[in-house]
Amino acid sequence: WSMKIEFIGSMLLFAFSLLNHKIKTKWLLFILAFISAFYFKQYYYIAFLLGYALCALNKNKQLEIRSTIIKLILLVIAIMLSSFPAAWQYWDSSMYAFIHFKAIDLYSFYHVIGSGLLLFLIIGHQPSINFLSIRSVLFLGKISFPMYLFHLILLVLIANPLFLLFLPCF
């Protein structure tokens, strides 16, 4: 399901970068794109915009927050939003009830904003950058996408025959 979003999001980001390249009011176009994605409930495309904005802000050294208290508050907010339950049955009967609006379904929007906040905090935290630069972590990042592409094939070729093999035992 995510391949379509990743492909279209990448193409939209290339188009956005092309349009945004020579415009002096870059942030105006960014805000307009953000509002459009939100209005049309295309929340996952907002993740691409957030990545673009974080990259631009980091490049211009505008991402620094010095206050540890603010960083901790943002971390709690990021974790809370990122862990918002996707199952609607839990929205009103959990600690998330105060951010659930019955009129609109925002769970994927919350996930995107929470992960964007988490990325924002990681970019500004040198120990996190150092950890993510370790050779073994880089290797896991390198193989994660091919594993994602082939995991269904492996499940069908390996797990299904094993299940059928051991089914009589149960």
Side-chain angles (χ1 to χ4, degrees), residues 1 4-6 8-9 12 33-50 105-106 108-110 112-113:
W1 68 271
K4 178 182 172 186
I5 292 169
E6 292 169 28
I8 293 172
L12 289 173
F34 186 92
I35 291 171
S36 297
F38 186 84
Y39 178 77
F40 291 109
K41 297 181 181 180
Q42 299 299 315
Y43 304 128
Y44 290 118
Y45 297 121
I46 292 173
F48 290 87
L49 293 169
L50 286 176
D105 177 13
L106 292 174
S108 56
F109 177 73
Y110 290 149
V112 167
I113 298 302

XYZ file of all heavy atoms in Angstrom, residues 1 4-6 8-9 12 33-50 105-106 108-110 112-113:
283
model
N 0.814 -1.202 0.000
C 0.000 0.000 0.000
C 0.857 1.266 0.000
O 0.453 2.287 -0.543
C -0.961 -0.009 1.189
C -0.283 0.130 2.518
C 0.194 -0.855 3.316
C 0.017 1.356 3.189
N 0.758 -0.332 4.439
C 0.673 1.029 4.395
C -0.195 2.691 2.896
C 1.105 1.980 5.302
C 0.237 3.644 3.804
C 0.872 3.283 4.982
N 2.679 3.136 -3.625
C 1.985 4.162 -4.405
C 2.207 5.539 -3.777
O 2.526 6.509 -4.481
C 0.495 3.842 -4.479
C -0.312 4.873 -5.218
C -1.788 4.533 -5.215
C -2.604 5.655 -5.794
N -4.042 5.412 -5.682
N 2.069 5.625 -2.469
C 2.269 6.893 -1.765
C 3.707 7.356 -1.902
O 3.975 8.537 -2.152
C 1.870 6.750 -0.283
C 0.368 6.545 -0.175
C 2.299 7.965 0.522
C -0.113 6.137 1.192
N 4.656 6.447 -1.775
C 6.066 6.808 -1.888
C 6.400 7.304 -3.292
O 7.132 8.281 -3.456
C 6.949 5.615 -1.521
C 6.870 5.254 -0.054
C 7.525 3.940 0.269
O 8.460 3.531 -0.441
O 7.098 3.296 1.245
N 4.236 8.545 -5.705
C 3.554 9.813 -5.989
C 4.138 10.929 -5.129
O 4.366 12.050 -5.614
C 2.031 9.671 -5.773
C 1.444 8.730 -6.830
C 1.341 11.031 -5.838
C -0.006 8.368 -6.601
N 4.405 10.638 -3.865
C 5.007 11.641 -2.986
C 6.362 12.107 -3.486
O 6.677 13.307 -3.440
N 5.731 14.311 -6.542
C 5.220 15.610 -6.106
C 6.314 16.456 -5.468
O 6.361 17.671 -5.662
C 4.056 15.424 -5.130
C 2.751 14.913 -5.716
C 1.753 14.605 -4.611
C 2.172 15.912 -6.707
N 0.850 24.143 -0.020
C 0.877 22.705 -0.295
C 0.432 21.916 0.940
O -0.314 20.943 0.834
C 2.274 22.275 -0.735
N 0.879 22.340 2.114
C 0.504 21.681 3.368
C -1.008 21.765 3.579
O -1.662 20.759 3.870
C 1.248 22.340 4.533
C 1.055 21.646 5.849
C 1.939 20.672 6.268
C -0.003 21.975 6.682
C 1.774 20.022 7.479
C -0.188 21.341 7.896
C 0.696 20.371 8.299
N -1.566 22.948 3.409
C -3.013 23.138 3.583
C -3.786 22.322 2.555
O -4.816 21.711 2.874
C -3.373 24.642 3.508
C -2.825 25.365 4.741
C -4.877 24.845 3.389
C -2.915 26.872 4.678
N -3.293 22.286 1.319
C -3.966 21.501 0.277
C -3.979 20.017 0.618
O -5.009 19.347 0.487
C -3.279 21.705 -1.075
O -3.372 23.035 -1.478
N -2.839 19.492 1.053
C -2.758 18.067 1.416
C -3.680 17.770 2.590
O -4.352 16.740 2.615
C -1.319 17.684 1.744
N -3.739 18.677 3.546
C -4.626 18.480 4.692
C -6.089 18.544 4.264
O -6.905 17.701 4.652
C -4.345 19.523 5.775
C -5.130 19.294 7.034
C -4.675 18.404 7.992
C -6.320 19.948 7.256
C -5.401 18.165 9.148
C -7.058 19.729 8.408
C -6.594 18.840 9.358
N -6.432 19.528 3.444
C -7.816 19.696 2.989
C -8.318 18.469 2.223
O -9.440 18.021 2.416
C -7.932 20.948 2.119
C -9.319 21.158 1.563
C -10.338 21.669 2.366
C -9.627 20.824 0.251
C -11.617 21.844 1.871
C -10.903 20.996 -0.258
C -11.891 21.509 0.557
O -13.153 21.674 0.056
N -7.467 17.922 1.363
C -7.856 16.761 0.568
C -7.598 15.437 1.298
O -7.683 14.359 0.708
C -7.152 16.772 -0.789
C -7.633 17.872 -1.690
C -6.820 18.957 -1.976
C -8.909 17.833 -2.227
C -7.268 19.981 -2.797
C -9.368 18.847 -3.047
C -8.550 19.933 -3.334
N -7.236 15.525 2.569
C -7.006 14.366 3.434
C -5.938 13.434 2.876
O -6.034 12.217 2.979
C -8.313 13.614 3.687
C -9.335 14.438 4.424
C -10.604 13.652 4.667
C -11.595 14.538 5.394
N -12.846 13.868 5.669
N -4.917 14.016 2.298
C -3.765 13.263 1.798
C -2.618 13.435 2.788
O -1.580 14.014 2.493
C -3.379 13.750 0.394
C -4.466 13.573 -0.628
C -4.840 12.120 -0.812
O -3.985 11.244 -0.919
N -6.136 11.846 -0.830
N -2.842 12.931 3.989
C -1.944 13.206 5.107
C -0.539 12.656 4.917
O 0.428 13.259 5.366
C -2.542 12.661 6.407
C -3.921 13.182 6.703
C -4.971 12.317 6.993
C -4.202 14.542 6.686
C -6.240 12.787 7.277
C -5.466 15.030 6.958
C -6.482 14.140 7.251
O -7.734 14.610 7.520
N -0.413 11.518 4.250
C 0.925 10.946 4.099
C 1.819 11.793 3.199
O 3.046 11.751 3.321
C 0.848 9.501 3.590
C 0.310 8.557 4.625
C -0.864 7.847 4.414
C 0.957 8.384 5.851
C -1.366 6.982 5.372
C 0.466 7.530 6.815
C -0.702 6.833 6.569
O -1.184 5.989 7.529
N 1.242 12.569 2.316
C 2.055 13.456 1.484
C 2.615 14.624 2.296
O 3.607 15.228 1.920
C 1.263 13.947 0.271
C 0.856 12.810 -0.634
C -0.468 12.549 -0.918
C 1.820 11.969 -1.178
C -0.836 11.489 -1.719
C 1.461 10.897 -1.982
C 0.132 10.671 -2.253
O -0.218 9.607 -3.044
N 1.978 14.917 3.423
C 2.497 15.946 4.315
C 3.866 15.520 4.849
O 4.730 16.359 5.097
C 1.493 16.228 5.452
C 0.240 16.908 4.874
C 2.105 17.082 6.547
C -0.902 17.082 5.858
N 4.084 14.219 4.995
C 5.380 13.724 5.468
C 6.502 14.144 4.518
O 7.600 14.509 4.946
C 5.351 12.204 5.615
N 6.233 14.109 3.222
C 7.236 14.538 2.248
C 7.526 16.031 2.399
O 8.674 16.459 2.319
C 6.759 14.228 0.822
C 6.748 12.765 0.504
C 5.637 11.985 0.798
C 7.844 12.151 -0.071
C 5.621 10.634 0.520
C 7.847 10.803 -0.352
C 6.733 10.040 -0.053
N 6.474 16.809 2.606
C 6.644 18.247 2.805
C 7.422 18.543 4.087
O 8.287 19.426 4.110
C 5.287 18.948 2.849
C 4.491 18.952 1.555
C 3.072 19.442 1.799
C 5.182 19.813 0.504
N 7.122 17.804 5.139
C 7.855 17.994 6.395
C 9.336 17.652 6.229
O 10.201 18.346 6.751
C 7.238 17.158 7.510
C 5.918 17.648 8.072
C 5.373 16.661 9.099
C 6.053 19.021 8.678
N -11.289 12.146 10.698
C -10.412 11.027 11.012
C -8.970 11.492 10.843
O -8.505 11.678 9.724
C -10.743 9.866 10.072
C -9.836 8.687 10.277
O -9.118 8.659 11.283
O -9.852 7.797 9.426
N -8.293 11.706 11.942
C -6.951 12.286 11.882
C -5.829 11.335 12.292
O -4.705 11.779 12.446
C -6.890 13.525 12.799
C -7.696 14.719 12.362
C -7.648 15.807 13.426
C -7.184 15.269 11.048
N -3.920 9.130 10.813
C -2.715 9.130 9.982
C -2.045 10.504 9.998
O -0.821 10.599 9.914
C -3.026 8.677 8.558
O -4.020 9.464 7.977
N -2.822 11.566 10.124
C -2.240 12.908 10.262
C -1.410 12.978 11.537
O -0.297 13.503 11.535
C -3.344 13.967 10.266
C -2.838 15.366 10.467
C -2.152 16.015 9.447
C -3.043 16.033 11.658
C -1.679 17.308 9.624
C -2.574 17.316 11.843
C -1.898 17.963 10.822
N -1.939 12.443 12.629
C -1.188 12.431 13.885
C 0.107 11.644 13.747
O 1.148 12.055 14.267
C -2.031 11.832 15.014
C -3.184 12.686 15.463
C -4.338 12.104 15.950
C -3.131 14.075 15.415
C -5.410 12.872 16.371
C -4.195 14.852 15.830
C -5.326 14.253 16.306
O -6.375 15.013 16.727
N 1.895 11.218 11.059
C 2.828 11.999 10.240
C 3.443 13.139 11.055
O 4.659 13.349 11.032
C 2.122 12.533 8.970
C 2.963 13.581 8.273
C 1.813 11.392 8.021
N 2.619 13.873 11.779
C 3.122 14.999 12.574
C 4.030 14.487 13.693
O 5.099 15.056 13.949
C 1.955 15.843 13.139
C 1.129 16.437 11.995
C 2.458 16.931 14.067
C 1.907 17.310 11.030
